[in-house]
Amino acid sequence: MTRELREQGKLVVLGVTQEQHPDRCRLFAQWQGIDWPILHDPINVLGLRAVPWPVAIDEHGVVRVVRARPEDFVTEFMNSTFEAPAVEARPARVGLTDASAAAPAPLKDGAGRGARVAFGESILLGGAAYRLGQSRDLLGEAIDAYGGIEDVANDASAQFSLGVALRMRYDTPFRRPGDFQAAIDAWQRALEIDPNHYIYRRRIQQYGPRLDKPYPFYDWVEAARAAVAARGETPAALGAEPVAAELARPTRRFAVSDLERGAGGDPGGKIQRDTKELIALETVVVRGTTDRGKVAAQVHLTFRPRPAARGHWNNEAEPLRVWLDEVEEGRLSSDYLEFDNPVSAATSDETRTLSFELALPPDPSASGSIRLSGYALYNTCEGKDGVCRFLRRDIQIEVPVE
Amino acid sequence: MNESVPGVRMANTILGIRELAAVLIVLAPVLVASLLTAEARAQGGRVSAAYAPRVGDLHADIVLRTIEHDRTIALSQFRGKKILLVHFASW
């Protein structure tokens, strides 16, 4: 309905999205044939607490419709001529302070609105800095400087923004060990301060256990890519591929996998350990946020070939597999994980994430955490034409419980 | 994601989005109250002002990068035109 109005120049349609990954929104827009601009507001500078109906704004910048039926939209809004407001007033600005600036001024230490504004701007601009080939590490600057914000520990918005920045950095080569877990922790703090904030909650649920999910977040990606390709177009590329937890459907009960425990493990511990750390392993634990979801945690195991050790995956032998030990407390969704390896090249460097869930026991022990253990077996090669080995990586995870 | 609420169906019609993955999330009763207040306070913490557009008020001038990050758009650059602002997520 809006296409004609837009082509006639009578209406401008603008989208705003709070998604962590703008490229996923871009694929969605491509799939749906959305050709109006979509703005990226990953730290929610707008302050959206719920999603209102589309907002209609007149030629003078005045809000005219906040909720309407489609027929009203045309008759009441499009067909109306609105008077300019009596008083000439400039609206408050939200977002970037300088539309033309590629990067904000260097952040200053100290409290005050300046620090908060600079912090937010650095994240808004920094998210794309790497992708656009800029050398300045705006995300790193923001993350390092956020402590200068007044009362930051109690500031839900600053905690949320910090989490966004950490997760953005995690998606670039500037990542530091622990960035993803730190992002989750920051988002959890934001939600603790402001428990009714649906955007904070969704950001955690995206990576959390199935009991916590309101819906599968990115299960549409496969269909979108197929539909776009069928039209003869190239699907918009995704920087960070959604992991299984982001595709998973919600469940009402704790779901246990029916994947059979793989044979060929290493119960005797005889396989050589990856002492050179050709593959780096990070574990991230995401507790559920709702009453139903908080009895479970999603555990992400992220395996990443380490450039400094010249590590690569060897795809010509058995894929990455994980065996988990029986837990003393609680219940695992699976005690065996296997990476489904579609990569056709002999070697590759992509990040591989395997995940599983833990149902917490009703009365956790007084120790304050549940310890999980297991090991991974994988085939790696060192250097482009280097030695290829079958290696083992021992896994120890602590899941904090109150 | 499919949610059957009036606003969602309206958006579907106006925008012609086939799938209701364009999120117009159901407004929980507790959130309606926060739409009416300029600022919400939570226990012991600082909570930013809520987005609460009101008919008759000037809308804030939003200045943000697009999702492609290749340009910046300010709402005020469209002064003189009618604007439909759509809040959005792919899930």
Side-chain angles (χ1 to χ4, degrees):
Chain A
M1 187 219 256
T2 64
R3 189 176 293 279
E4 216 178 279
L5 292 167
R6 285 183 286 126
E7 283 169 4
Q8 292 167 0
K10 291 178 178 167
L11 177 69
V12 169
V13 179
L14 269 185
V16 186
T17 185
Q18 283 76 36
E19 275 188 80
Q20 177 72 32
H21 296 98
D23 48 357
R24 297 179 190 180
C25 189
R26 188 155 163 255
L27 175 63
F28 177 79
Q30 181 188 31
W31 175 39
Q32 295 291 311
I34 293 169
D35 56 358
W36 22 271
I38 301 170
L39 301 179
H40 191 213
D41 180 15
I43 57 174
N44 196 23
V45 285
L46 233 63
L48 226 66
R49 298 189 60 86
V51 185
W53 287 256
V55 178
I57 300 164
D58 73 15
E59 305 88 328
H60 312 291
V62 177
V63 177
R64 289 298 170 191
V65 188
V66 172
R67 55 180 69 201
R69 299 168 300 170
E71 46 274 30
D72 294 342
F73 176 70
V74 175
T75 55
E76 289 183 14
F77 180 65
M78 289 309 303
N79 290 344
S80 297
T81 309
F82 297 102
E83 298 256 324
V87 180
E88 185 71 31
R90 287 184 67 192
R93 178 190 282 249
V94 169
L96 299 168
T97 51
D98 183 349
S100 59
L107 294 176
K108 294 179 177 33
D109 291 323
R113 191 169 179 275
R116 191 184 304 283
V117 167
F119 171 64
E121 276 208 298
S122 295
I123 301 171
L124 289 174
L125 294 169
Y130 163 68
R131 217 174 318 132
L132 297 175
Q134 291 167 17
S135 56
R136 185 171 161 196
D137 183 14
L138 284 167
L139 290 175
E141 285 183 31
I143 292 164
D144 289 341
Y146 105 106
I149 297 169
E150 191 180 345
D151 199 27
V152 72
N154 292 318
D155 186 327
S157 170
Q159 293 298 324
F160 178 70
S161 301
L162 174 66
V164 170
L166 286 161
R167 173 65 212 210
M168 280 180 174
R169 187 168 72 177
Y170 173 82
D171 289 330
T172 74
F174 293 119
R175 73 178 67 82
R176 301 197 196 163
D179 271 354
F180 187 10
Q181 183 71 70
I184 297 289
D185 294 344
W187 290 331
Q188 295 276 15
R189 285 194 300 273
L191 189 63
E192 218 174 307
I193 296 166
D194 195 352
N196 290 326
H197 208 299
Y198 98 96
I199 288 186
Y200 300 170
R201 189 179 298 278
R202 292 286 183 266
R203 198 58 57 93
I204 299 163
Q205 290 175 324
Q206 181 176 336
Y207 302 102
R210 294 174 73 183
L211 279 174
D212 204 46
K213 290 190 185 294
Y215 33 73
F217 283 76
Y218 289 103
D219 64 337
W220 55 266
V221 168
E222 201 181 327
R225 282 171 163 158
V228 168
R231 300 197 302 243
E233 295 167 36
T234 307
L238 297 187
E241 199 64 25
V243 296
E246 298 178 271
L247 311 175
R249 283 198 301 277
T251 54
R252 289 194 180 279
R253 286 190 180 1
F254 186 72
V256 173
S257 162
D258 55 10
L259 183 66
E260 250 185 64
R261 192 167 169 87
D266 181 36
K270 295 191 167 60
I271 304 295
Q272 185 185 1
R273 301 305 196 267
D274 182 8
T275 48
K276 291 187 186 176
E277 216 193 350
L278 292 167
I279 308 291
L281 169 62
E282 261 192 68
T283 64
V284 175
V285 177
V286 186
R287 280 284 295 277
T289 62
T290 60
D291 285 340
R292 178 160 71 203
K294 67 189 183 202
V295 301
Q298 181 84 248
V299 181
H300 301 258
L301 303 172
T302 300
F303 297 88
R304 198 187 301 275
R306 216 163 58 87
R310 301 184 307 147
H312 305 278
W313 297 115
N314 174 6
N315 299 320
E316 293 178 322
E318 303 97 326
L320 165 67
R321 291 166 298 164
V322 170
W323 284 262
L324 296 166
D325 300 330
E326 231 179 272
V327 286
E328 288 170 8
E329 299 184 80
R331 203 173 161 211
L332 296 175
S333 64
S334 181
D335 60 5
Y336 173 73
L337 309 170
E338 190 176 295
F339 183 77
D340 182 20
N341 185 10
V343 181
S344 52
T347 63
S348 61
D349 298 326
E350 79 281 4
T351 302
R352 297 180 176 182
T353 302
L354 291 172
S355 56
F356 64 94
E357 297 190 23
L358 170 72
L360 302 172
D363 295 307
S365 71
S367 65
S369 64
I370 292 178
R371 302 180 91 220
L372 307 175
S373 58
Y375 60 91
L377 297 180
Y378 44 78
N379 280 286
T380 60
C381 296
E382 194 175 339
K384 277 282 180 243
D385 303 304
V387 179
C388 295
R389 284 194 191 88
F390 183 53
L391 296 173
R392 167 175 169 141
R393 176 66 182 257
D394 292 329
I395 300 170
Q396 303 283 348
I397 307 158
E398 292 229 3
V399 178
V401 295
E402 302 85 45
Chain B
M1 187 202 84
N2 291 299
E3 308 229 28
S4 54
V5 282
V8 163
R9 283 198 290 276
M10 180 209 51
N12 195 16
T13 311
I14 290 181
L15 301 165
I17 298 176
R18 281 182 302 116
E19 302 253 352
L20 261 296
V23 163
L24 298 185
I25 291 173
V26 174
L27 214 60
V30 66
L31 297 175
V32 172
S34 70
L35 260 190
L36 303 175
T37 59
E39 186 162 321
R41 297 226 53 96
Q43 52 215 59
R46 182 204 156 111
V47 166
S48 55
Y51 177 64
R54 283 192 314 212
V55 174
D57 283 354
L58 270 180
H59 195 281
D61 185 16
I62 302 171
V63 185
L64 289 169
R65 282 285 169 98
T66 59
I67 53 175
E68 295 88 0
H69 277 257
D70 55 0
R71 59 198 164 117
T72 303
I73 290 179
L75 208 62
S76 52
Q77 78 190 57
F78 300 113
R79 209 37 91 79
K81 291 250 163 85
K82 290 190 162 102
I83 302 170
L84 182 63
L85 198 61
V86 184
H87 301 288
F88 215 114
S90 65
W91 27 259

